[in-house]
Amino acid sequence: GLMYPQFLTSDIGLHIHNAQKVALYSQWVWTGQLPDGTPVPYPPALYVLLAPLTWLFGNSDEAIANLLKWTAALLDSLSCLGLAWAGSHLWPGRAGGVAALAYALSPAPFPLFSAGNYSNLFAQSVFSLTLLGALVCVDRRPMTDDRRRTDGRRYANSRITFRASSVVLTLGFGLTMLGHYGMMLAALAIMGLFGLWTAVQTLRGSRQSAAWALLSGFGAALAAGFALYYWRFVGEMWGQLSGALSRVSGIGSTVASQAVGTRVAAGEVLAKLAQRAENLVGALPGLSALFGVGFVASINRPTRALLFAWLGACVMFALLDQTLGDAVRWYYLAAAGVSLLAGRYLALLLARGRMPRILTGLCLSVMLWQLLYTWVGDLIFTRYH
């Protein structure tokens, strides 16, 4: 779809020039702008990783455009494999495969492909894979003393695998932070919520070694991101934060002075949310994900906490999007998590008999129809023409 001649992406020229800054002039620090003109950091991880490929395929506009398209498409597609792998580890049966199918039929990434947000696509794909790996990592159950004595070699291998996984997850968090500023904020929100839950459980006497190991890796990645890049933009980040806080306070005073119109304003916000939610994974799969929340008891508490922190942060960003109009692209951030829950619920339906299987088929058919409408009817043939 990206290589189709009639498909246009509005911002691809910006990313081509950014990649050329890195590849040709070794420039990797510059400032970007939000739609309202607010200056923000513009991390260069995608362009740094593409620079060696320009030595092989050239650094012309056309060559870099093709590299951007192929890289974004392949990384986003890897989320399907990540969902299949994570789902198969968290639950028995078909949950992972159905979750991968739900994500493959999700139109959530396509508005970003159309707008040409390639750095966002890169960082979000890496972040989704990192969070899926983190869900499996914190779901590991420690071996008892008896099993350590009877199966010492397997226990030692398990510890080595856990350490290797921690290194990989730390690298994933680091690439996320150095790939896109908005995804850095998303990682802070999600891991902040998960860290709060972990601290509360620890104070209650519950041992959370895997959760603390994950948070330590995130902290190391955050420190490295600031040491390598973000320390140059403390003023810009503070300016954006103070501006957002001032707008929130302004909205609060307006709501307080116009109490009569509160219901109307709330209705408008809900209507906008419902309209934007169409970009998630479709109405029926999104509903199935809500039902799937009730079927996560088979995974341990840290895994549930991380999954709910993921989706809870997306709800927070969705509300900020409607009130401030300047937030993380929450529908893409939530897509993999929603697909995972939808896969769990739909897989349970598939095992319940003929009628539930028919309903599941109808659900996936609705997703396919919405996918074709969004990708072909809306983006390829009518957008930007």
Side-chain angles (χ1 to χ4, degrees):
L2 287 176
M3 302 304 294
Y4 187 73
Q6 191 173 333
F7 181 75
L8 299 179
T9 56
S10 59
D11 287 352
I12 193 168
L14 168 69
H15 297 281
I16 290 172
H17 295 155
N18 288 342
Q20 289 171 338
K21 287 179 184 177
V22 175
L24 299 179
Y25 308 108
S26 299
Q27 180 184 350
W28 58 282
V29 177
W30 61 84
T31 303
Q33 286 187 339
L34 295 177
D36 62 358
T38 303
V40 292
Y42 210 107
L46 171 62
Y47 315 119
V48 172
L49 294 176
L50 287 181
L53 295 178
T54 62
W55 305 337
L56 296 175
F57 300 100
N59 51 37
S60 65
D61 289 2
E62 182 179 3
I64 293 179
N66 290 335
L67 287 174
L68 288 167
K69 292 177 180 180
W70 279 104
T71 301
L74 289 173
L75 282 174
D76 181 70
S77 300
L78 283 178
S79 297
C80 296
L81 296 179
L83 282 164
W85 171 78
S88 65
H89 277 74
L90 296 176
W91 299 293
R94 306 171 181 173
V98 179
L101 182 59
Y103 187 86
L105 296 178
S106 166
F110 295 155
L112 297 186
F113 282 123
S114 177
N117 302 120
Y118 288 98
S119 58
N120 197 165
L121 286 162
F122 163 78
Q124 177 60 75
S125 298
V126 173
F127 191 37
S128 294
L129 291 170
T130 303
L131 287 177
L132 291 172
L135 289 174
V136 175
C137 190
V138 299
D139 192 58
R140 296 178 183 274
R141 294 166 175 82
M143 300 182 73
T144 63
D145 292 337
D146 291 337
R147 287 193 64 190
R148 290 175 189 172
R149 287 191 292 267
T150 59
D151 197 0
R153 178 178 298 178
R154 183 177 178 183
Y155 175 69
N157 291 337
S158 176
R159 294 185 64 184
I160 294 173
T161 303
F162 181 79
R163 291 171 182 171
S165 301
S166 300
V167 172
V168 173
L169 293 178
T170 302
L171 179 61
F173 285 130
L175 286 176
T176 299
M177 294 176 185
L178 295 175
H180 190 263
Y181 176 57
M183 286 301 103
M184 187 271 285
L185 297 178
L188 279 174
I190 294 172
M191 299 308 293
L193 291 175
F194 182 63
L196 180 62
W197 177 89
T198 303
V200 171
Q201 293 301 312
T202 302
L203 291 175
R204 290 180 176 178
S206 176
R207 185 178 180 183
Q208 303 292 336
S209 56
W212 282 116
L214 178 66
L215 290 168
S216 298
F218 173 77
L222 180 64
F226 269 83
L228 290 173
Y229 184 77
Y230 282 106
W231 65 271
R232 298 174 173 86
F233 299 96
V234 174
E236 286 81 359
M237 290 189 291
W238 175 251
Q240 186 206 9
L241 176 61
S242 59
L245 291 176
S246 63
R247 278 181 286 170
V248 169
S249 61
I251 292 173
S253 61
T254 300
V255 171
S257 63
Q258 298 178 355
V260 177
T262 299
R263 291 184 179 180
V264 177
E268 292 178 352
V269 169
L270 291 175
K272 290 180 180 179
L273 280 174
Q275 183 179 4
R276 293 294 296 274
E278 295 178 359
N279 293 326
L280 201 54
V281 291
L284 290 178
L287 184 61
S288 68
L290 294 179
F291 284 113
V293 171
F295 293 92
V296 295
S298 56
I299 56 179
N300 65 9
R301 295 181 67 188
T303 309
R304 291 200 302 270
L306 179 57
L307 182 57
F308 292 156
W310 183 355
L311 299 179
C314 294
V315 172
M316 179 185 69
F317 286 124
L319 295 174
L320 287 174
D321 185 19
Q322 302 310 311
T323 55
L324 300 181
D326 171 21
V328 173
R329 295 175 176 94
W330 53 271
Y331 48 90
Y332 187 31
L333 177 63
V338 169
S339 297
L340 189 63
L341 289 176
R344 169 62 170 163
Y345 181 68
L346 295 177
L348 291 174
L349 281 183
L350 288 173
R352 299 291 292 181
R354 184 169 179 270
M355 283 304 298
R357 285 199 296 269
I358 292 175
L359 290 175
T360 303
L362 289 175
C363 181
L364 295 175
S365 298
V366 169
M367 292 185 68
L368 178 60
W369 174 84
Q370 185 183 23
L371 170 74
L372 294 175
Y373 174 79
T374 302
W375 185 227
V376 179
D378 184 33
L379 297 182
I380 289 182
F381 288 110
T382 61
R383 187 69 61 91
Y384 307 125
H385 294 288

